[in-house]
């Protein structure tokens, strides 16, 4: 038989949460739109120039927003699931979303992302010198900011490009781990402090940047790999048991 119509998302003004609509959403890398795929239809949403390697991969935040990883663009694309038409919101700017100083083309900034136990999404640096945090807890005022030290200036990672790709969240220690690709360290984002306090309200920028270092409530560290590996493409993916 014909599948039943998919339900519209349910939102709560108090929690700003979105209940998924049962559809699959695709991330536009070189395509010009987001695809919304259901058991009965495929529809296109949004319009961007073709090509460009715009976004690469995505993760779902704690309140159900799909956060697309910036690759060669200077914004994060947030997809708010909704039947029949999702909301597509770009946040951030090149003040926050940057590649490393070893490049002059503003390209290949991040590879992969995961939601932390605090519901925020952590985007893993490829060429960028910072971890990017995206907070979607207020759907009407979503923000992004750099967290932790500058990875290059601090000497936390020697490799400049393709440092980490993909990662996992471990609920047992409230940490997000990014897997070394070319990097020589494991990236660890400890969210424990953010779970034990309410986030302090602060001035928000209209461009979606949130660069107040005074309210850093996550700890970013790197752990050296036990044995040296000369190859650049070390690991991709992992499983939490």
């Amino acid at each position: 038989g014909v599948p039943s119509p998919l339900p519209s998302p349910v939102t709560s003004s108090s929690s700003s949460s979105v209940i998924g609509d049962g559809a699959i959403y695709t991330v536009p890398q070189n395509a010009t739109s987001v695809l919304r795929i259901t058991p009965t239809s495929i529809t296109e949403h949004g319009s961007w120039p073709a090509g460009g390697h715009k976004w690469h991969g995505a993760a779902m935040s704690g309140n159900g927003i799909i956060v697309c990883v910036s690759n060669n663009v200077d914004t994060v694309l947030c997809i708010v699931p909704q039947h029949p038409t999702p909301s597509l919101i770009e946040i951030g700017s090149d003040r926050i979303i940057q590649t490393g100083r070893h490049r002059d083309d503003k390209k290949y900034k991040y590879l992969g992302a995961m939601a932390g136990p605090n519901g925020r999404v952590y985007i893993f640096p490829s060429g960028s010198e910072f971890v990017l945090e995206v907070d979607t807890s207020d759907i009407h005022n979503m923000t992004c900011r750099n967290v932790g030290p500058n990875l290059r200036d601090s000497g936390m990672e020697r490799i400049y490009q393709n440092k980490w790709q993909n990662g996992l969240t471990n609920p047992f220690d409230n940490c997000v781990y990014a897997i070394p690709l070319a990097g020589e360290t494991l990236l660890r984002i400890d969210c424990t402090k953010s779970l034990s306090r309410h986030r302090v309200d602060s001035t928000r920028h209209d461009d979606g940047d949130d660069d107040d270092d005074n309210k850093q409530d996550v700890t970013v560290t790197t752990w050296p790999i036990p044995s040296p590996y000369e190859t650049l493409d070390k690991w991709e993916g992992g499983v939490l048991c």
Side-chain angles (χ1 to χ4, degrees):
V2 177
S4 301
L6 294 167
S8 297
V10 178
T11 61
S12 167
S13 59
S14 60
S15 64
S16 291
S17 61
V18 175
I19 296 176
D21 62 355
I24 295 171
Y25 292 90
T26 65
V27 178
Q29 185 179 44
N30 291 316
T32 60
S33 63
V34 170
L35 293 183
R36 181 177 184 272
I37 304 167
T38 76
T40 59
S41 66
I42 301 175
T43 53
E44 292 185 285
H45 304 273
S47 178
W48 293 274
H53 297 275
K54 296 177 281 290
W55 295 279
H56 183 113
M60 181 174 286
S61 69
N63 64 336
I65 308 299
I66 300 168
V67 176
C68 300
V69 176
S70 311
N71 191 25
N72 290 350
V73 294
D74 300 326
T75 60
V76 171
L77 173 62
C78 297
I79 304 173
V80 184
Q82 188 170 352
H83 173 70
T85 304
S87 296
L88 307 176
I89 303 167
E90 293 184 50
I91 65 171
S93 72
D94 60 5
R95 293 194 307 115
I96 299 293
I97 301 172
Q98 301 177 346
T99 195
R101 286 165 284 175
H102 63 289
R103 305 189 68 100
D104 59 8
D105 55 7
K106 302 176 65 176
K107 293 183 176 181
Y108 306 112
K109 301 176 179 72
Y110 309 97
L111 281 172
M114 278 296 294
N118 55 14
R120 305 171 200 166
V121 171
Y122 294 93
I123 299 180
F124 308 135
S126 175
S128 179
E129 298 174 11
F130 286 95
V131 173
L132 186 68
E133 178 193 81
V134 179
D135 186 348
T136 65
S137 57
D138 182 350
I139 292 177
H140 303 290
N141 198 13
M142 297 183 284
T143 60
C144 58
R145 63 171 179 164
N146 291 322
V147 293
N150 181 294
L151 296 161
R152 175 173 172 171
D153 292 346
S154 65
M156 292 170 61
E157 174 54 59
R158 185 181 70 88
I159 300 298
Y160 292 163
Q161 191 65 46
N162 295 335
K163 294 184 280 287
W164 301 281
Q165 180 170 0
N166 303 319
L168 296 163
T169 297
N170 190 336
F172 299 103
D173 63 1
N174 296 320
C175 293
V176 178
Y177 293 88
I179 298 169
L181 184 60
E184 298 176 343
T185 60
L186 179 74
L187 178 66
R188 183 176 188 257
I189 305 160
D190 189 341
C191 303
T192 303
K193 287 193 296 184
S194 67
L195 298 173
S196 61
R197 52 164 286 191
H198 291 290
R199 186 169 185 182
V200 179
D201 289 336
S202 64
T203 301
R204 301 290 181 88
H205 301 280
D206 290 338
D207 58 9
D209 291 345
D210 188 352
D211 50 3
D212 184 355
D213 291 334
N214 294 325
K215 56 188 184 64
Q216 294 264 347
D217 55 3
V218 297
T219 303
V220 177
T221 56
T222 56
W223 294 358
I225 299 171
S227 299
Y229 290 86
E230 296 300 326
T231 180
L232 294 180
D233 298 325
K234 299 179 180 70
W235 294 282
E236 286 198 33
V239 177
L240 176 66
C241 296

